[in-house]
Amino acid sequence: MAVQTRDNTFAALRDCFATDLAVLIGDQTPRDATPNAFIDLVEEVRDVLGSSSIGAWQDASEELDRAVGYLTDALTGVDGAQHSLLARTRTHLRDGIETAS
């Protein structure tokens, strides 16, 4: 049951943030619906923004870096901590996107 909840939460995060993240890097290509593909997208956006000389984009990259850490921990960690990790992920994704926009 916990794996299903985690997968549903990953799907909800992806559905909520994937389009906004892709827009930041001008990516129109649909991505796989897997948690790893979503993490790859966040990492790609993080790297693109981090390589910029624009301060707000670098700040956004740091937020996305934190989100990647929490996403990875939620995917590989113990079931009991996943809800908290994914809630933190959501906060950093939202803040990163808002900062970059």
Side-chain angles (χ1 to χ4, degrees), residues 9 27 29 36 41 57 71-72 77 83-84 88 90 94 101:
T9 305
D27 188 0
T29 307
N36 285 331
L41 174 62
W57 285 9
L71 279 170
T72 303
H83 179 73
S84 173
R88 290 179 181 155
R90 182 181 62 242
R94 184 185 60 237
S101 298

Side-chain angles (χ1 to χ4, degrees), residues 2-96:
V3 171
Q4 184 65 30
T5 302
R6 180 193 66 209
D7 290 345
N8 290 342
T9 305
F10 262 90
L13 286 172
R14 183 190 64 245
D15 292 347
C16 185
F17 294 108
T19 300
D20 292 336
L21 288 165
V23 165
L24 289 173
I25 58 172
D27 188 0
Q28 299 297 323
T29 307
R31 306 260 176 153
D32 290 337
T34 65
N36 285 331
F38 181 62
I39 292 171
D40 290 345
L41 174 62
V42 178
E43 288 176 328
E44 183 178 348
V45 175
R46 174 202 64 198
D47 294 345
V48 168
L49 295 177
S51 67
S52 171
S53 61
I54 299 170
W57 285 9
Q58 291 174 348
D59 292 344
S61 176
E62 290 175 16
E63 290 291 338
L64 296 179
D65 187 56
R66 290 181 190 102
V68 166
Y70 288 127
L71 279 170
T72 303
D73 289 349
L75 185 61
T76 60
V78 295
D79 291 337
Q82 289 169 343
H83 179 73
S84 173
L85 292 168
L86 292 172
R88 290 179 181 155
T89 297
R90 182 181 62 242
T91 299
H92 289 290
L93 288 170
R94 184 185 60 237
D95 292 348

